[in-house]
């Protein structure tokens, strides 16, 4: 296995709209981010993934791009961006941009032009005639990620267009080679500025089955066998690589419903179409079938089983990414551990796992001080198109109350509430009276300033782990072996490499659990490296682990 910068790096995701507002309009912006660079440097991260900063009418808050080469005026100017990039690089922080190329906004010039059937842009999108006598039925049975048909009828054109997400996000037609040429040009534009790579949004949806045939009937993502991991993925990713390779750019592909064999298809070292991928198993231990609305009680066994598959499956061949949160997920505290009772211990336990598994950790803004979900109970308070659409859809299945409960638990807005900087008005996010999305009222207790001042905070624990990981390659390179696989409460594993051995043990229960270390561990001279309690056992021994107790032992 090759040593690489990205394997040793810790990434941080910024959702610009909610990070920091500099001009009192209640919306985060680039100048706001610049004002917080010291905070990021102090945290110790090596790279940032920016959720979209481009011009967008905000049907999906930036994931609907109307101009790939412009900065959203709400966030600032291109000059602001250049300045921010320079400052981050000066601080040795790499920058990766969000590359959203499965679809554009319907306000994008290409789409507007494409509504003229004689335009060269017409074929940039999937325009099709409808089915049925009057063409009033969609061209096939595919459904959108945001519920309902994946097709929208356009009166002016007299045809339907495909949108795997919102109707304002028409899918680009990669059967037309000119589309890829445009995208290559966009890649160059950003790489020439000096960005270090891309997080590639739903990248495995790019290749659709020729002819767009009907999918097998399915209650969710109908047609997915025709639009996920399609036959031309290598060809299309290869064309992106023609450009990326020239700049040695890093990529992480967001890959819906991925598994180990598919990940190896894209990321095997020496034959990379993508550097790494995001797999979603780490955030599916509290739902069924990877559908977050199908809520189930958190299962540590489910989590351990899927993580083991990835830890073993990619080892020595490719590279994992690790995450508990992003802008599409509810906060992990409240899902995998209690948001109130022992919140700090629980958040630190999850930090421990994130920093000690094999793979590159991604921290989502606010996660580093144990931010929790907001739980809004009025659908009108939600801003997210997905929340609104799935709420309507779920009302028919679970009733209004059930739909609200599920939305409150898993909505993406849970992660998008403004960053809680301090205990002043609107959490120090903005001077404005109102914010684009509600602030979580618990900001008075949970905020960055409190966490900076409290030596026992989640934030200071993250900082410590990041520093440890940076100075000790046994956190990075090393095999994974877990013990007590059937335990529903204990997650214990060994990481072993030429740099030494780490033994990690976590109690995922919010109560005392007795623990006996495996013989092979107890027989070696492991000593305590760090823990989320200040009086944990100095060596692995028979003990009662306290609620969410997490310990890292080291053997040189
Ligand atoms: O997400 C893709 C994706 O699979 C999500 O829509 C997912 O289905 C959902 O969020 C789970 O709740 C990416 C972006 O991360 C997301 O923000 C965008 O809305 C989407 O693509 C479309 O660009
Ligand atoms: Ca602003």
């Amino acid at each position: 296995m090759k040593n690489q910068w990205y394997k040793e790096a810790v990434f941080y995701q910024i959702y610009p709209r909610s990070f920091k507002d500099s001009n009192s309009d209640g919306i985060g912006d680039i100048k706001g981010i610049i004002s917080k660079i010291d905070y990021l440097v102090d945290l110790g991260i090596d790279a940032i993934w920016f959720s979209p900063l481009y011009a967008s009418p905000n049907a999906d808050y930036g994931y609907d791009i109307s101009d790939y080469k412009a900065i959203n005026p709400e966030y600032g100017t291109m000059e602001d961006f250049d300045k921010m990039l320079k400052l981050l690089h000066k601080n040795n922080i790499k920058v990766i941009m969000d590359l959203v190329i499965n679809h554009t906004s319907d306000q994008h010039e290409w789409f507007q032009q494409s509504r003229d059937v004689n335009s060269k842009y017409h074929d940039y999108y999937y325009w099709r005639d409808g089915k049925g006598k009057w063409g009033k039925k969609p061209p096939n049975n595919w459904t959108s990620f945001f519920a309902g048909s994946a097709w929208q009828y356009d009166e002016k054109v007299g045809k339907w267009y495909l949108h795997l997400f919102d109707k304002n996000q028409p899918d680009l037609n990669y059967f037309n080679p000119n589309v890829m040429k445009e995208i290559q040009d966009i890649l160059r534009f950003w790489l020439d500025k000096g960005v270090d790579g891309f997080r590639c949004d739903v990248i495995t949806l790019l290749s659709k089955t020729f002819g767009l045939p009907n999918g097998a009937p399915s209650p969710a993502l109908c047609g997915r066998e025709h639009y996920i991991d399609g036959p031309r993925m290598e060809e299309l990713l290869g064309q992106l690589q023609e450009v990326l390779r020239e700049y040695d750019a890093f990529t992480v592909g967001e890959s819906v419903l991925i598994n180990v064999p598919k990940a190896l298809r894209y990321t095997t070292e020496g034959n990379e179409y993508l550097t790494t991928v995001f797999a979603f198993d780490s955030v599916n231990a509290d739902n069924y079938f990877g559908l977050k609305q199908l809520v189930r009680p958190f299962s540590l066994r489910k989590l351990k089983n899927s993580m083991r598959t990835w830890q073993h499956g990619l080892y020595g061949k490719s590279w994992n990414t690790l995450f508990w949160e992003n802008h599409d997920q509810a906060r992990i505290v409240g899902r995998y551990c209690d948001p109130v009772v022992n919140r700090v211990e629980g958040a630190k336990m999850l930090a421990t796992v994130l920093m000690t598994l094999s793979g590159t950790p991604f921290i989502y803004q606010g996660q580093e001080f144990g931010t929790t979900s907001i739980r809004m109970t009025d659908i009108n308070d939600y801003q997210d198109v997905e929340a609104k659409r799935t709420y309507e859809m779920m009302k028919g299945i679970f009733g209004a109350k059930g739909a609200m409960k599920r939305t409150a638990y898993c909505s993406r807005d849970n992660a998008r509430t403004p960053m809680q900087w301090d205990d002043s008005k609107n959490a120090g996010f903005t001077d404005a009276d109102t914010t684009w999305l509600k602030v979580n009222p618990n900001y008075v207790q949970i905020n960055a300033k409190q966490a900076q001042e409290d030596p026992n905070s989640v934030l200071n624990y993250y900082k410590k782990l990041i520093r440890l990981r940076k100075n000790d390659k046994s956190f990075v390179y090393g095999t994974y072996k877990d013990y007590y696989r059937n335990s529903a409460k204990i997650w214990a594993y060994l990481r072993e490499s030429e740099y030494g051995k780490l033994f990690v043990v976590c109690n995922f229960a919010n109560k005392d659990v007795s623990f006996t270390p495996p013989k092979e561990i107890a027989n070696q001279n492991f000593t305590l490296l760090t823990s989320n309690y200040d009086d944990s056992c100095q060596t692995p021994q028979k003990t009662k682990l306290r609620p969410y107790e997490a310990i890292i032992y080291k053997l040189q």
Side-chain angles (χ1 to χ4, degrees), residues 289-359:
F289 316 118
L291 295 174
K292 63 181 181 178
Q293 289 83 5
L294 298 183
V295 178
R296 60 163 284 169
F298 167 70
S299 163
L300 179 63
R301 276 197 210 117
K302 184 178 178 191
L303 182 63
K304 288 193 293 186
N305 286 339
S306 54
M307 296 307 271
R308 181 187 316 120
T309 307
W310 284 100
Q311 292 286 298
H312 292 169
L314 299 197
Y315 190 78
K317 299 178 189 153
S318 170
W319 193 248
N320 278 298
T321 58
L322 305 164
F323 68 96
W324 295 131
E325 293 185 12
N326 62 36
H327 65 295
D328 292 336
Q329 295 286 327
R331 297 289 184 172
I332 202 69
V333 172
R335 297 174 59 189
Y336 290 9
C337 63
D338 196 283
V340 180
V341 183
N342 300 313
R343 174 187 68 91
V344 168
E345 287 75 13
K348 289 180 183 175
M349 172 191 71
L350 293 167
T352 307
V353 175
L354 190 75
M355 293 297 164
T356 57
L357 287 176
S358 169

Side-chain angles (χ1 to χ4, degrees), residues 489-543:
K489 300 183 182 111
I490 301 289
W491 194 354
Y493 50 90
L494 175 71
R495 299 283 317 283
E496 188 172 355
S497 68
E498 58 183 292
Y499 305 102
K501 296 183 190 181
L502 294 177
F503 176 66
V504 181
V505 55
C506 297
N507 172 17
F508 268 69
N510 200 1
K511 58 179 184 208
D512 289 355
V513 171
S514 50
F515 172 73
T516 311
K519 262 214 185 73
E520 63 181 81
I521 300 296
N523 286 340
Q524 303 176 52
N525 291 321
F526 279 94
T527 53
L528 185 129
L529 196 59
T530 192
S531 144
N532 59 352
Y533 281 77
D534 52 21
D535 53 353
S536 292
C537 295
Q538 291 298 313
T539 59
Q541 55 190 263
K542 193 169 163 42
T543 184

